[in-house]
Amino acid sequence: MEGDLPSKEELHQRAVEGHPITQSEASKIAAAESDITGGGPIKGGPASAAQSQHDKQQNFFAKAGDVARKPPGEVTKEDAAQVQSAEARLLGHHPGKGSTSASVQSLADKNENKNA
C-alpha cells in the first residue's frame, strides 16, 4: 500500500544520519499517502513518522542552536541536559561519545570546574 512512500524506519535513519526532513517533505508524504489511501494519512504511517521526525529535528536544532549562541564560558549543565534530551528523542537512544550533546556536556563540565 505504501508504494513509493518512505518507510518509518527509512525516515528515522535519514534523520539520525543528519538528513533534514523538511515541513515541505512531510507535507508531500502526507499528500501522497492520502492519494494512496483515498482518505487521509494513516495513523502511525509514513506521513506521521515524517512529521514526528521533522518536529524532533527542529526541537534538537533549536536547543543546540540556543546553546551554540551562548558564549562558551556560559554553557551550563542544564544546557547540556536539554541538548542531550532533545538529541536522545531524535536518535531514539542515548547519544554516545562524539555526539553534539557529549561535546556540550564536556564544555559544561569544564565551566563548572573552572567556576568551582
Side-chain angles (χ1 to χ4, degrees):
M1 177 167 92
E2 292 183 6
D4 291 339
L5 295 177
S7 69
K8 294 189 302 185
E9 293 78 19
E10 180 184 353
L11 289 164
H12 175 74
Q13 189 60 39
R14 288 172 52 200
V16 166
E17 291 171 355
H19 169 79
I21 298 174
T22 65
Q23 186 62 55
S24 174
E25 184 177 9
S27 295
K28 286 178 186 175
I29 292 169
E33 192 173 54
S34 293
D35 288 345
I36 291 169
T37 64
I42 302 166
K43 182 176 182 175
S48 76
Q51 186 64 54
S52 176
Q53 288 299 323
H54 166 77
D55 294 347
K56 289 174 185 176
Q57 282 180 328
Q58 293 305 305
N59 183 51
F60 171 66
F61 295 155
K63 296 288 185 199
D66 288 346
V67 172
R69 286 185 287 279
K70 290 180 94 168
E74 294 180 14
V75 174
T76 66
K77 286 191 173 263
E78 182 180 320
D79 294 327
Q82 290 178 358
V83 171
Q84 188 275 330
S85 178
E87 190 169 18
R89 282 192 299 270
L90 174 61
L91 298 175
H93 58 81
H94 185 78
K97 290 182 179 180
S99 66
T100 300
S101 57
S103 296
V104 174
Q105 183 65 56
S106 177
L107 182 58
D109 289 344
K110 287 176 187 173
N111 290 339
E112 184 173 276
N113 291 336
K114 181 176 66 175
N115 295 328

